Amino acid sequence: MTKQIEAKSSIQVIERMMSLLGALSGHDSPVNLKQLATETRLHPSTAHRILAVMVDNRLVDRIEPGTYRLGFRLLELASASAIALGRAPLISTPP
């Protein structure tokens, strides 16, 4: 694979990941894989593969097989961002 194709592929997977995060953020309760794939227009196997990596990185929680919600790591990142911007943290960390 050429570097240009690798770069395009890397950007594409990030765009797909962001699409999945956006779809999850539109739901108050856990969402199943089929619905996420439909909303993001991704093939279910592609959505599943990306979601698995996000679960491993705590960006997404797998509630039960095939059902997902936003993960706690997103709140940790948002809190770190708030601190970096000189605002109060969104969550407190134990001493």
Side-chain angles (χ1 to χ4, degrees), residues 18-74:
M18 295 305 296
S19 179
L20 285 163
L21 288 172
L24 283 167
S25 72
H27 296 274
D28 294 333
S29 57
V31 188
N32 69 43
L33 176 62
K34 184 176 181 179
Q35 185 173 353
L36 287 170
T38 299
E39 289 181 21
T40 58
R41 298 181 181 178
L42 294 173
H43 190 276
S45 65
T46 300
H48 181 265
R49 190 174 60 251
I50 295 168
L51 287 162
V53 173
M54 290 195 292
V55 166
D56 289 345
N57 288 280
R58 299 175 39 236
L59 296 172
V60 171
D61 292 332
R62 185 179 1 241
I63 306 308
E64 54 188 54
T67 306
Y68 303 89
R69 70 176 177 202
L70 294 176
F72 192 73
R73 181 72 178 131
L74 292 171

